[in-house]
Amino acid sequence: MDIRLTGKIDKSRIRHMSVPRASEEVLAGYRALEDASGVISDVMDRLGIPGVVGASVLKPTIGGKSIVGTALTVRNVLQHGHEYEAAKKVANRMAEFEAHNLAQPGDVLVIQGVAGVSNMGGISAQTGKRHGEVGAIIMGGIRDVAHSRAVDYPVWASEITPRTGKWRIETMEINGDVEIAGVRVSCGDLVYADDTGVCFVPIARAAEVLALAEKIAAAEEIKCQAIDAGVHIADLPKTE
């Protein structure tokens, strides 16, 4: 992919031009799980891995969607100075487009953003879709929700607002560590998101979490089949 800087961020602020990635086999295994944030959350609890945020905090813009992918991270802060003066100068220092330029198909944009203003709009979502991203997770505001829905680019965000971040936000770092609702996320971590919430799985533990999640999901499927078959509650197979 042709990687070009837009000029909105010093190249030194891009911590990693490339990111570690889970194997396609592991990613496919997570994709095969259905409605699995609860199961993955249980597994992470058992293994002592923090990394789960509920959908009451990070709300999905497209219901019924689930995504699996590799985290590309962006950290935003408020610009210094008066916002209306910056607006007159069109002083746009947002630079998530640089992350889009680094994306590979199947990636997820993860933004530690600013509250009360938009950290991503419709054009950005459409650009991410073009680069093969499967969606975005944003701690902070977003806007142009109808646009991102129209291009089938799901976003999990803590706020929705029409107030632009263009002259209110500055991107400080790309592909460094970010914090999302108290969870530390590194570029390359595996992201699973659905209607119930978002799970950030450290890449070093992704295969381990998947193996136990598949085991539990299979056991729960057997239990559900037994319920449908009319098995008495006392006789239902046990799940771990």
Side-chain angles (χ1 to χ4, degrees):
M1 180 177 293
D2 182 20
I3 298 173
R4 292 163 294 188
L5 297 176
T6 66
K8 291 183 180 178
I9 187 171
D10 186 324
K11 186 175 179 180
S12 67
R13 295 189 182 183
I14 301 179
R15 181 64 62 86
H16 301 286
M17 294 296 289
S18 61
V19 302
R21 298 173 186 278
S23 69
E24 182 53 40
E25 181 181 5
V26 168
L27 290 167
Y30 278 93
R31 293 188 197 106
L33 299 172
E34 296 182 1
D35 188 27
S37 62
V39 170
I40 295 170
S41 177
D42 288 352
V43 170
M44 293 174 72
D45 280 349
R46 294 187 191 189
L47 298 176
I49 305 171
V52 179
V53 182
S56 58
V57 177
L58 295 171
K59 305 171 184 66
T61 57
I62 304 178
K65 283 283 188 180
S66 63
I67 62 170
V68 174
T70 298
L72 300 180
T73 59
V74 174
R75 180 168 60 86
N76 291 335
V77 300
L78 279 173
Q79 281 195 41
H80 294 297
H82 197 284
E83 59 191 295
Y84 297 131
E85 290 301 318
K88 289 178 184 178
K89 298 175 183 177
V90 195
N92 185 356
R93 297 177 182 171
M94 294 176 66
E96 81 281 1
F97 283 89
E98 308 297 2
H100 293 321
N101 283 336
L102 298 174
Q104 294 185 16
D107 285 349
V108 180
L109 191 62
V110 179
I111 299 178
Q112 178 184 334
V114 175
V117 298
S118 174
N119 296 262
M120 169 180 276
I123 297 297
S124 184
Q126 187 168 349
T127 302
K129 179 74 173 184
R130 184 190 70 183
H131 282 246
E133 296 167 21
V134 294
I137 314 295
I138 301 176
M139 194 66 199
I142 61 167
R143 70 177 188 173
D144 305 332
V145 174
H147 189 159
S148 58
R149 286 175 179 156
V151 298
D152 194 31
Y153 184 93
V155 182
W156 282 253
S158 59
E159 299 180 26
I160 297 174
T161 175
R163 296 181 75 236
T164 186
K166 291 175 184 176
W167 29 83
R168 297 181 171 99
I169 285 175
E170 180 175 2
T171 297
M172 299 302 294
E173 188 176 51
I174 291 174
N175 282 342
D177 289 350
V178 296
E179 185 174 308
I180 306 295
V183 174
R184 182 176 177 177
V185 183
S186 299
C187 66
D189 286 349
L190 188 142
V191 182
Y192 183 100
D194 61 18
D195 283 334
T196 306
V198 181
C199 300
F200 299 105
V201 185
I203 184 173
R205 310 290 299 273
E208 179 185 9
V209 170
L210 174 63
L212 186 51
E214 289 176 330
K215 183 178 179 181
I216 293 174
E220 289 190 350
E221 176 60 25
I222 291 172
K223 178 177 272 189
C224 288
Q225 291 174 1
I227 292 170
D228 287 343
V231 174
H232 191 278
I233 186 69
D235 298 323
L236 288 175
K238 303 297 182 183
T239 53
E240 296 185 17

